[in-house]
Amino acid sequence: MVESNLIVVSNRLPFTLTREEDGSLRRVPSAGGLVTAVAPVLIQSKGTWIGWPGRGLTPADQIPDSEPADTSPAAGLEASQVVPVHLTEEDFSLYYNGCCNATFWPLFHSMPDRAVFEETFWDAYIRVNKLFAIAILNKLRSLDKDSDKIPVIWIHDYHLMVAASTVRQVAEEEGLLCKIGYFLHIPFPPWDMIKIFPWHDHILQGILGCDLVGFHLQDYCLNFVECCRRGLGCRVDRTGRLVEHAGRTLRIRALPISIPFQRFEELAREAPDSNWNNLQVILGIDRLDYTKGLVNRFRSFERLLCDYPEYHGKIVLLQVAVPSRTDVKEYQELKEQIDQLVGRINGRFSTALWSPIRYIYGCLSQLELAGFYRDADVALVTPLRDGMNLVAKEFVACRTKKPGVLVLSPFAGAGKMMHEALLVNPYELGNVARVLHRALSMPGDERELRMNSLRNRERNYDVNHWMKNFMKSMGNLLEEDGEDLSPIPMQPLQLSDFDDYLGEYVGKDSVLAVLLDYDGTLSPIAPHPDLATIPPETKGVLERLSRMPDVFIGVISGREVNNVHSMVGIDNITYAGNHGLAIHHKDGSKYYHPMPEEMVDRAAQLMEQLTVECCQHGAWVENKGALLTFHYRSVPKELREPLVARARQLISDAGFKVGTAKCALESKPHVKWDKGRAAIYILRNAFGVDWKDRIRILYAGDDVTDEDAISALKGMSYTFRVSKSTLTNTLADKRLPDTDSVRTLLLWVEKHMTDRKARNDDQVGRSGEVE
């Protein structure tokens, strides 16, 4: 039993809506494992289904209740439990036909040459995902706040990969409790595929807004974990399949979907006889899509007819191809290619009484399909790439009379678990023909043994088991023995976590330069800058590092340079203030970037304007000379927008650049200088013009201004972005969740450099002994 409110989110609702002649809407049940498994639980828990209602509908249209005669799984889902997300025709086309089907579908099936990368597609995808996130948040806000049942949000498939990050961020800001799960119904590809997508970091971070991420297979889980490590610099646990992101630990689980086994058994018993006149039938049921390998399948069947002529007149390949994306040229060309191929093979082998291929291009009822599944001798399921492929499972469930043989591609998810099937590589046409021959001539006892094993597994691990397993993995249910399945966090960051990638980079004899931001990096963010003090443990390790001869420490902050010096309080390091406009070197020399005198006068005037017009409800202005920072952290959230908008306008009108910081706006003079330029100037001043060849550099910062330094040092350093945000765009090599992890990084530097010196001293001593 589900112990909390359940909100299911999918691209489409669990039924389609048709408009009657009188203008009213009627619900038409949708088939599918997701609806069969989830709808009864949703009805029982009084949950909600959020989805797109279909074309031609507007917010003014009311969702009807189901027809009295409707016996489908979603029949009991009342109209009040359905939340439609309405999309414009343009947005739907760009989002669904464009980004989802023209980009993600081929890319996630490891066919990047077929993928189309258009920024307009991606922009529409973001807009639509935000609309879904808004619908989810509105539903969360409407739930009983006093209930002890934490809402569970379950988001489905590649259409909605970035909705969770928005929900997570807003829910945390508003104190809305929830758990978020996500399940991907298609393959998750390896890093070499994902990195092709220009905005892959958004996709990964969007999914990481969840608490639990489910895939069909262990391979997909490991692909995702590796993408998070390499694409986002997240800390991961491959063995435990855990990912740390934004200070949270997510669980990644293999939860293979299945079918409503009992329902297909019942359909098979009800279906009429197929009347195939003693022919042995090889059955293929597929959507007409390039991932399904239909061209290879027909060519393999042609090879079977060539190599085994004894089957002429005795077998038939019955291929049902369900129309798909008929308005897309690529799919039109695929249909034309298949039509020609079927015609050529039939023309080559047909006789007056027999044709080897029966090709149905259209949709069949579930009852008709169940009869085909039951009566066919062999099911040929040979996709080039498929997340799971439920056709293989449906075939097994419908074998209520005689056993059949399942021929299955290892590139379908089902191929990883339906071990009794005959596995065959769809690219090996000759081998497919040989395996088909084996299937057609397989002894009855072997057929029975294989099929019984397949049926027993699919009966036990049906779609209801998948649903229950997912809810258990969400930590929403308890095992019967009382085992708590609440999330298990990763272990705190350890010194050894840095060994894998920093040990080799820092090396055995290089000088190490460590450049650090202050607020949010060395010191936790505080309500007021004066309260942002550096923890004693962090200060202690910085002091020890500053005394090491082969370690250079620099602090580059948005604060005024004297202020950051006093806050850190260590003399033997270099300080840069105002994002590098003022630099105090460790040797006592100073650098101030040239600044027009009128900029200082204008900054003074701007400060007066900001003070008069915007310093309300706790907002205040920090004076940094030619730079100003308007702080609004203490302003109640509902009062911020007009103050921030007015401050932004005043800064822009005064001729300054507007910089965005955490709960602050910065006015910056129009000079070509930032933390990146300052970092390179500091390194050149400290180590000479050839510093790049002799120095190893670590940089850590938490703010968008630190991206200037991360970008400038890219490829010449190892960089870290400190962030707990669910969506952070960064070029950094790795992410760190908080200031404690920065201290751990500094402790690793101390240990590595100390151990390195000890090893070098030991080697020198041994060398002296030998001499």
Side-chain angles (χ1 to χ4, degrees):
M1 179 179 175
V2 176
E3 298 293 337
S4 67
N5 296 305
L6 177 61
I7 301 171
V8 174
V9 190
S10 62
N11 174 55
R12 297 178 186 270
L13 291 173
F15 47 78
T16 56
L17 294 170
T18 60
R19 197 175 294 278
E20 302 291 281
E21 291 183 1
D22 61 0
S24 63
L25 295 174
R26 182 171 65 88
R27 280 164 53 163
V28 178
S30 295
L34 178 64
V35 176
T36 303
V38 176
V41 180
L42 203 67
I43 294 166
Q44 178 188 2
S45 65
K46 299 296 182 183
T48 301
W49 198 307
I50 297 174
W52 178 63
R55 279 193 162 105
L57 299 177
T58 68
D61 290 310
Q62 297 294 315
I63 301 292
D65 285 320
S66 60
E67 299 285 325
D70 186 1
T71 58
S72 68
L77 193 66
E78 298 175 2
S80 60
Q81 294 176 262
V82 177
V83 176
V85 179
H86 295 279
L87 307 177
T88 66
E89 281 293 325
E90 181 182 18
D91 269 355
F92 178 79
S93 179
L94 292 172
Y95 144 79
Y96 184 76
N97 295 326
C99 201
C100 293
N101 288 329
T103 305
F104 291 142
W105 180 262
L107 185 65
F108 278 50
H109 285 84
S110 299
M111 299 180 179
D113 56 312
R114 295 180 178 269
V116 180
F117 303 102
E118 290 282 353
E119 193 166 356
T120 53
F121 292 173
W122 174 242
D123 290 342
Y125 187 87
I126 292 293
R127 284 197 301 273
V128 170
N129 272 249
K130 284 186 177 178
L131 290 175
F132 273 85
I134 289 169
I136 296 168
L137 288 164
N138 287 338
K139 183 61 188 178
L140 279 179
R141 296 182 185 110
S142 72
L143 297 176
D144 182 7
K145 303 295 188 299
D146 298 326
S147 173
D148 58 352
K149 297 179 181 179
I150 298 177
V152 173
I153 302 163
W154 193 2
I155 301 173
H156 287 269
D157 224 358
Y158 62 104
H159 313 89
L160 301 170
M161 290 189 286
V162 300
S165 59
T166 301
V167 174
R168 172 71 59 191
Q169 184 172 349
V170 176
E172 289 181 350
E173 290 174 355
E174 298 184 10
L176 301 171
L177 294 178
C178 64
K179 293 180 180 180
I180 308 176
Y182 174 80
F183 188 82
L184 184 69
H185 292 257
I186 63 175
F188 194 89
W191 169 240
D192 284 347
M193 289 290 117
I194 283 293
K195 71 179 181 181
I196 297 172
F197 185 63
W199 305 278
H200 62 265
D201 57 329
H202 286 255
I203 293 298
L204 296 172
Q205 290 184 87
I207 296 174
L208 289 174
C210 300
D211 297 290
L212 171 72
V213 179
F215 300 102
H216 289 303
L217 302 179
Q218 193 82 275
D219 287 352
Y220 305 160
C221 293
L222 295 176
N223 284 346
F224 180 75
V225 169
E226 185 66 7
C227 286
C228 292
R229 184 185 74 85
R230 298 180 65 177
L232 297 179
C234 294
R235 195 164 69 102
V236 304
D237 177 350
R238 293 183 186 84
T239 304
R241 301 185 306 285
L242 302 173
V243 177
E244 186 179 78
H245 178 68
R248 299 167 43 253
T249 298
L250 291 85
R251 289 185 295 171
I252 317 300
R253 292 291 181 266
L255 299 164
I257 197 171
S258 192
I259 61 167
F261 189 92
Q262 185 177 352
R263 176 174 171 76
F264 274 94
E265 267 193 327
E266 293 169 354
L267 286 170
R269 293 190 180 100
E270 297 170 6
D273 192 274
S274 301
N275 295 318
W276 285 332
N277 299 324
N278 298 320
L279 289 170
Q280 282 190 286
V281 176
I282 301 169
L283 178 65
I285 306 286
D286 300 271
R287 193 166 55 85
L288 188 63
D289 189 277
Y290 49 79
T291 64
K292 303 302 181 180
L294 294 183
V295 171
N296 287 29
R297 185 178 305 171
F298 284 121
R299 288 174 175 165
S300 298
F301 182 68
E302 182 180 22
R303 181 71 174 269
L304 173 72
L305 296 175
C306 291
D307 294 352
Y308 301 91
E310 64 267 28
Y311 287 120
H312 292 195
K314 298 179 181 179
I315 65 171
V316 66
L317 170 61
L318 174 59
Q319 177 64 54
V320 178
V322 179
S324 175
R325 302 186 69 196
T326 55
D327 56 337
V328 177
K329 182 180 179 182
E330 188 175 20
Y331 284 71
Q332 294 170 354
E333 292 173 347
L334 176 62
K335 180 183 181 300
E336 184 178 347
Q337 182 184 10
I338 289 175
D339 288 346
Q340 292 175 356
L341 188 57
V342 170
R344 182 178 63 77
I345 296 172
N346 274 342
R348 179 181 178 185
F349 295 99
S350 291
T351 66
L353 300 176
W354 170 76
S355 292
I357 298 176
R358 294 182 185 175
Y359 177 54
I360 300 174
Y361 176 70
C363 299
L364 301 180
S365 69
Q366 278 201 316
L367 191 64
E368 289 178 285
L369 287 175
F372 286 178
Y373 284 138
R374 181 197 60 210
D375 297 335
D377 296 274
V378 176
L380 187 55
V381 184
T382 52
L384 306 180
R385 186 73 168 160
D386 215 336
M388 176 54 69
N389 196 298
L390 298 181
V391 167
K393 295 173 179 284
E394 292 168 1
F395 171 74
V396 167
C398 291
R399 303 307 301 190
T400 55
K401 290 185 176 180
K402 59 181 181 179
V405 181
L406 175 61
V407 178
L408 183 59
S409 166
F411 307 131
K416 298 290 186 180
M417 54 197 68
M418 302 182 80
H419 310 297
E420 296 80 8
L422 303 183
L423 295 183
V424 63
N425 185 335
Y427 294 98
E428 295 183 77
L429 306 186
N431 191 45
V432 175
R434 288 189 292 273
V435 171
L436 281 174
H437 168 62
R438 181 187 171 196
L440 291 166
S441 59
M442 183 179 289
D445 57 346
E446 184 181 352
R447 283 178 176 240
E448 187 172 356
L449 179 64
R450 289 178 178 275
M451 185 52 63
N452 285 345
S453 296
L454 286 167
R455 283 176 58 78
N456 287 336
R457 182 186 300 108
E458 297 307 321
R459 182 183 289 108
N460 292 331
Y461 297 99
D462 65 356
V463 74
N464 294 315
H465 176 271
W466 171 73
M467 171 75 181
K468 184 179 179 182
N469 217 18
F470 197 98
M471 299 309 295
K472 282 182 178 181
S473 296
M474 280 292 292
N476 193 48
L477 294 177
L478 299 179
E479 292 276 14
E480 291 181 2
D481 62 2
E483 179 189 357
D484 191 351
L485 293 175
S486 57
I488 302 172
M490 288 181 69
Q491 293 297 315
L493 191 67
Q494 306 290 322
L495 297 183
S496 57
D497 289 323
F498 296 103
D499 286 335
D500 290 342
Y501 51 91
L502 285 188
E504 183 177 352
Y505 172 73
V506 175
K508 299 178 180 180
D509 51 18
S510 298
V511 173
L512 179 63
V514 182
L515 305 179
L516 305 157
D517 178 37
Y518 183 78
D519 294 278
T521 303
L522 288 174
S523 165
I525 296 292
H528 191 282
D530 291 345
L531 302 177
T533 57
I534 186 170
E537 299 88 347
T538 304
K539 183 174 181 178
V541 68
L542 272 180
E543 287 178 326
R544 295 192 296 274
L545 288 174
S546 71
R547 293 193 291 267
M548 290 185 173
D550 47 0
V551 177
F552 174 90
I553 303 292
V555 178
I556 308 176
S557 172
R559 291 170 175 259
E560 193 273 327
V561 66
N562 292 311
N563 178 264
V564 70
H565 190 161
S566 66
M567 296 301 288
V568 176
I570 302 173
D571 290 332
N572 196 33
I573 62 179
T574 293
Y575 294 94
N578 289 349
H579 304 298
L581 290 173
I583 301 173
H584 292 182
H585 298 288
K586 61 186 292 186
D587 63 3
S589 61
K590 299 179 180 181
Y591 169 81
Y592 295 93
H593 189 75
M595 188 69 59
E597 187 64 32
E598 65 269 17
M599 296 300 292
V600 178
D601 296 336
R602 269 193 280 168
Q605 295 171 8
L606 174 60
M607 181 171 180
E608 185 176 346
Q609 285 182 292
L610 289 170
T611 301
V612 171
E613 298 189 38
C614 301
C615 288
Q616 305 168 29
H617 310 295
W620 61 285
V621 181
E622 182 182 2
N623 186 357
K624 303 177 182 178
L627 278 73
L628 302 174
T629 302
F630 173 70
H631 296 272
Y632 56 89
R633 184 180 300 275
S634 299
V635 178
K637 291 179 181 178
E638 63 274 13
L639 301 176
R640 287 179 180 177
E641 187 174 346
L643 287 178
V644 172
R646 181 54 182 160
R648 187 182 296 274
Q649 185 65 48
L650 289 173
I651 294 170
S652 180
D653 291 346
F656 291 90
K657 290 189 295 184
V658 181
T660 302
K662 293 179 179 177
C663 293
L665 293 179
E666 294 183 313
S667 71
K668 300 179 179 180
H670 285 277
V671 294
K672 294 182 179 179
W673 197 260
D674 53 35
K675 285 187 175 182
R677 297 285 297 276
I680 291 174
Y681 176 86
I682 289 169
L683 293 168
R684 187 171 64 243
N685 181 272
F687 302 108
V689 294
D690 61 342
W691 59 269
K692 181 180 177 297
D693 300 325
R694 299 182 291 107
I695 308 301
R696 295 291 181 266
I697 305 154
L698 303 181
Y699 186 96
D702 78 311
D703 197 72
V704 66
T705 60
D706 292 298
E707 287 298 320
D708 294 325
I710 290 170
S711 177
L713 297 172
K714 188 71 175 176
M716 302 181 289
S717 65
Y718 218 100
T719 54
F720 298 85
R721 179 72 183 267
V722 185
S723 176
K724 280 195 172 182
S725 171
T726 55
L727 183 58
T728 300
N729 298 326
T730 181
L731 292 173
D733 298 296
K734 293 288 181 180
R735 296 168 190 244
L736 297 174
D738 49 33
T739 55
D740 288 343
S741 60
V742 176
R743 180 172 65 248
T744 305
L745 168 63
L746 296 176
L747 288 169
W748 179 88
V749 171
E750 180 185 30
K751 181 178 184 300
H752 180 83
M753 302 305 280
T754 302
D755 292 349
R756 187 178 82 170
K757 182 178 184 303
R759 286 194 299 270
N760 291 343
D761 289 347
D762 185 54
Q763 290 175 0
V764 170
R766 290 178 182 176
S767 175
E769 291 175 7
V770 171
E771 292 176 357

